[in-house]
Amino acid sequence: MKPVIFGLSGPVLTSDERAFFAAVEPAGYILFKRNIVDRAQLRALTDALRDLAGRDDLAILIDQEGGRVARMQPPEWPGFPAGPAFDALYEIAPMSAIQAMRANGEALGLMLAEVGITVDCAPLLDVAQPDTTEAIACRAYGREPLRVAALGRAMLEGLAAAGIVGVVKHMPGHGRALVDSHHLLPTVTASDAELEVDLAPFRTLAGAPMGMTGHIVFEAWDAERPATLSPTIITDIIRGRIGFDGLLMTDDIDMKALSGTAGQKAAGAIAAGCDLVLDCWARMDEMVEIAGLLDEIAPASRERLDRAMASVRPGTGDMAALIAKRDALLALV
């Protein structure tokens, strides 16, 4: 097994993809809008991936946060609100906001489980600042670490109740980034003491099964390398001060915050201490390069992957009732 999660080019596996994935055996796959038509097609695709891997516990990921980050969309599936809706409710009724988020996470998870998806890249634990890039601000759970952690925990619990593994992101915190790491490399100049605010939600939820790095330079910790490529940040901050021992994957290795070829970036991330590389765009030449430069998955990383996927249990909730409960609570604002 190679320590990489690959994207797919379309709504069905191509013959080239099928042959390549069978030979390489990636740790998992991630789905995007280009891979999704309707329920029947999506379930057939995830079943095909499981059959190819020969594993019922295959990690099949999606970015389905709610709001603008939603790969499965209406009218085929219901829309889900983004983080700020729960932040606003928390302002007047914290317990109601937590209940709403838990119901939201469970409903969202049931929607994913129905089509064979097993991992959701949520919750977002980045603590927003007044000048946070809009790419994060429109998704964040708030500006207070306690609030972000409480809502993040509720999301993780809701997803787990539906049989879905959650991924806390973007370690060690994307809230101070002033630019979008999809396009530029953010540099954070805050002091070590100031960054305690950013670490707090991740430390509170350090027992999460999976986490994702951010492509951000933190001058206080490593002025030369972004977190994804920094052994110092991964070992001393994420594994050390946060205390995270779950599966650590990169954010999309193709994002413009990182430089170098796809294979160079992937190899650098694994060398820095990430367990898995996330490569989203299904470009065959890049996937071949990545697979050629990565060794087999490390035993510790495989154990973390297996542990995370073992937490998946079938959910039994009623999606419509959960959405109704969430909406009734959000209507309090």
Side-chain angles (χ1 to χ4, degrees):
M1 179 188 289
K2 293 285 186 175
V4 60
I5 295 166
F6 282 134
L8 313 173
S9 61
V12 296
L13 280 168
T14 67
S15 58
D16 285 346
E17 286 172 339
R18 187 178 292 276
F20 173 70
F21 294 148
V24 168
E25 193 186 354
Y29 302 90
I30 185 165
L31 304 179
F32 287 86
K33 228 177 134 179
R34 65 179 181 270
N35 309 121
I36 297 168
V37 178
D38 56 30
R39 284 173 170 80
Q41 168 272 328
L42 188 50
R43 183 74 212 203
L45 178 58
T46 59
D47 285 347
L49 291 172
R50 264 182 290 277
D51 289 345
L52 184 62
R55 303 201 313 274
D56 288 335
D57 66 346
L58 180 64
I60 302 177
L61 287 69
I62 197 167
D63 254 329
Q64 192 79 17
E65 297 175 12
R68 78 184 209 182
V69 181
R71 316 310 184 192
M72 297 162 63
Q73 296 184 341
E76 184 72 13
W77 292 279
F80 285 78
F86 301 93
D87 179 27
L89 178 56
Y90 196 104
E91 191 69 28
I92 61 170
M95 288 308 300
S96 294
I98 290 169
Q99 291 170 13
M101 182 64 93
R102 188 178 292 114
N104 179 73
E106 186 174 357
L108 197 159
L110 290 168
M111 182 182 80
L112 302 184
E114 179 187 32
V115 292
I117 293 167
T118 52
V119 180
D120 190 14
C121 296
L124 191 102
L125 298 187
D126 305 316
V127 180
Q129 300 288 331
D131 51 0
T132 296
T133 174
E134 179 62 16
I136 296 296
C138 70
R139 302 150 61 195
Y141 295 174
R143 297 185 183 181
E144 300 170 1
L146 178 64
R147 180 179 307 194
V148 172
L151 292 173
R153 185 188 300 280
M155 183 65 162
L156 280 175
E157 290 174 349
L159 289 171
I164 300 296
V165 178
V167 181
V168 295
K169 61 186 186 184
H170 304 84
M171 292 178 147
H174 209 308
R176 294 182 190 271
L178 305 184
V179 297
D180 183 353
S181 57
H182 287 88
H183 308 294
L184 298 166
L185 175 61
T187 296
V188 171
T189 59
S191 69
D192 179 84
E194 290 169 329
L195 288 168
E196 277 295 313
V197 169
D198 303 68
L199 299 183
F202 293 104
R203 186 180 289 124
T204 299
L205 300 180
M210 293 186 178
M212 179 184 291
T213 64
H215 304 328
I216 302 167
V217 170
F218 294 88
E219 290 188 345
W221 298 325
D222 188 337
E224 303 300 322
R225 294 166 293 193
T228 300
L229 301 176
S230 171
T232 300
I233 292 176
I234 291 172
T235 300
D236 297 347
I237 306 302
I238 295 175
R239 297 299 190 192
R241 281 168 61 178
I242 290 174
F244 179 72
D245 190 39
L247 181 86
L248 185 65
M249 69 185 74
T250 72
D251 204 343
D252 181 13
I253 209 71
D254 186 65
M255 289 163 65
K256 305 312 176 195
L258 304 182
S259 59
T261 70
Q264 289 167 346
K265 291 184 284 188
I270 296 298
C274 292
D275 292 308
L276 298 181
V277 170
L278 185 59
D279 178 63
C280 296
W281 289 95
R283 300 183 185 106
M284 185 57 72
D285 58 337
E286 294 180 355
M287 293 194 294
V288 168
E289 183 196 10
I290 289 169
L293 289 177
L294 295 184
D295 293 328
E296 292 294 293
I297 190 169
S301 297
R302 179 62 190 264
E303 191 277 329
R304 290 181 181 121
L305 173 62
D306 290 345
R307 187 198 325 154
M309 297 312 300
S311 68
V312 174
R313 297 287 185 273
T316 58
D318 181 324
M319 186 168 70
L322 289 161
I323 289 174
K325 176 180 179 179
R326 177 203 68 199
D327 289 349
L329 291 166
L330 289 178
L332 297 173
V333 178

